């Protein structure tokens, strides 16, 4: 598998955990315009995110994400709880998590990093700036950074 990854890059698997349909649309738009081939999977709350990551219920065939975009303000299970559970799971903790949220509160930023988020991005209010932010993030994470390989269990 690792040999084919270099010759024919597989699409990046991205899990977007976002309950705002407008922000989901903007993120999809940004990725569509981007140059990086990816599969964007969307869940709308923290409980679904954990089901997806643990491949339970309707997500039994879900792929392991290469990267997670996580909103903090989610129904049912909030983003902090998702982050905490994810980073406490030996099989999932190596997946980079980018908090993408509207909160500019210092305590949310500090708490996200305490819970081992890999980055914290504040969503711009302007739709064009939002798309620009997602595209800059995509270029950085998929062109510059080397993502961790999947750990065999």
């Amino acid at each position: 598998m690792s040999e084919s990854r270099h010759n024919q890059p597989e699409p990046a698997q991205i899990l977007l955990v976002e309950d705002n349909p407008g922000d989901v649309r903007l993120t999809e738009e940004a990725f569509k315009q981007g140059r990086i081939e990816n599969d964007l999977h969307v869940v709308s709350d923290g409980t679904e995110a954990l089901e997806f990551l643990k491949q339970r219920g309707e997500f039994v065939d879900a792929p392991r994400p290469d990267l997670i975009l996580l909103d903090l303000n989610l129904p049912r299970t909030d983003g902090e709880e998702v982050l905490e559970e994810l980073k406490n799971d030996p099989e999932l903790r190596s997946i980079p998590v980018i908090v993408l949220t509207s909160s500019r509160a210092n305590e949310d930023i500090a708490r996200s990093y305490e819970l081992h988020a890999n980055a914290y991005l504040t969503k711009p209010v302007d739709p064009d700036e939002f798309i620009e932010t997602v595209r800059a993030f995509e270029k950085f994470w998929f062109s510059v950074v080397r993502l961790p390989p999947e750990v065999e269990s």
Side-chain angles (χ1 to χ4, degrees):
M1 166 143 154
S2 60
E3 212 38 55
S4 67
R5 261 187 118 82
H6 297 293
N7 305 341
Q8 194 62 49
E10 293 175 25
Q13 301 295 325
I14 302 168
L15 176 61
L16 173 62
V17 187
E18 173 59 72
D19 64 321
N20 179 326
D23 289 351
V24 170
R25 264 196 316 281
L26 285 173
T27 305
E28 288 171 340
E29 184 64 34
F31 280 126
K32 247 184 239 140
Q33 292 177 14
R35 304 256 181 292
I36 291 99
E37 191 62 34
N38 65 67
D39 292 332
L40 185 64
H41 307 275
V42 181
V43 294
S44 59
D45 67 47
T47 304
E48 279 187 5
L50 293 169
E51 294 285 296
F52 185 100
L53 291 161
K54 295 177 185 223
Q55 297 176 311
R56 292 193 299 233
E58 67 179 288
F59 302 108
V60 72
D61 294 323
R64 176 189 170 90
D66 294 304
L67 192 98
I68 299 165
L69 277 172
L70 178 66
D71 187 13
L72 289 183
N73 307 312
L74 296 166
R76 297 203 296 173
T77 306
D78 74 23
E80 278 187 7
E81 291 174 79
V82 172
L83 192 53
E84 191 163 17
E85 194 161 330
L86 190 63
K87 294 303 182 178
N88 285 327
D89 185 318
E91 288 183 24
L92 299 173
R93 75 166 58 123
S94 66
I95 301 171
V97 178
I98 314 307
V99 172
L100 181 62
T101 187
S102 50
S103 172
R104 296 176 184 276
N106 284 339
E107 60 269 19
D108 285 343
I109 297 168
R111 182 79 180 127
S112 294
Y113 284 118
E114 278 168 23
L115 293 171
H116 306 290
N118 297 79
Y120 189 102
L121 299 176
T122 304
K123 294 176 193 171
V125 177
D126 177 82
D128 293 331
E129 282 179 40
F130 186 103
I131 288 175
E132 221 24 70
T133 298
V134 172
R135 288 182 65 192
F137 137 84
E138 178 189 39
K139 185 171 185 198
F140 176 74
W141 280 97
F142 295 110
S143 299
V144 181
V145 172
R146 298 228 20 203
L147 293 170
E150 186 174 341
V151 182
E152 300 299 318
S153 51

